Amino acid sequence: PQDDREAVRLFRLAADQGVPDTQFNLAVHCASGKGVPQDDAKAARPYRLAAEQSHADAQTNLGTHCAMGKGVPQDDAEAARYYRLAAE
């Protein structure tokens, strides 16, 4: 069986070191409520950190959060920017 809380703890350690894949995984867990209480605002920060390092999945997910106003202010222009980055 998986221990989602332990996974989140480890993702946080690696995310703090700037590892984009773990920043993305931490964001997914925060957004879905796996191992931590669901919190779109807490998901936005690691999505943004990973997106700024050209992580395409993070760019796509952050674009969706911007388009829907999930944890960040709703902003179609910002959403489009992240979608374009992910497509490059």
Side-chain angles (χ1 to χ4, degrees):
Q2 292 182 324
D3 183 346
D4 289 326
R5 284 182 292 192
E6 179 65 6
V8 168
R9 186 184 75 76
L10 295 173
F11 288 150
R12 276 195 179 112
L13 289 174
D16 288 346
Q17 298 300 311
V19 180
D21 284 338
T22 57
Q23 291 166 334
F24 173 76
N25 287 330
L26 175 59
V28 168
H29 277 66
C30 290
S32 67
K34 267 183 99 171
V36 293
Q38 192 280 331
D39 188 329
D40 288 323
K42 285 188 179 177
R45 181 177 181 274
Y47 274 143
R48 190 174 307 279
L49 291 171
E52 290 171 357
Q53 295 182 74
S54 301
H55 193 287
D57 290 332
Q59 292 166 334
T60 299
N61 286 12
L62 185 55
T64 300
H65 279 247
C66 290
M68 299 177 72
K70 292 174 62 176
V72 296
Q74 195 279 331
D75 186 334
D76 289 334
E78 189 76 348
R81 184 174 81 82
Y82 281 111
Y83 290 144
R84 275 193 298 279
L85 287 170
E88 291 177 356

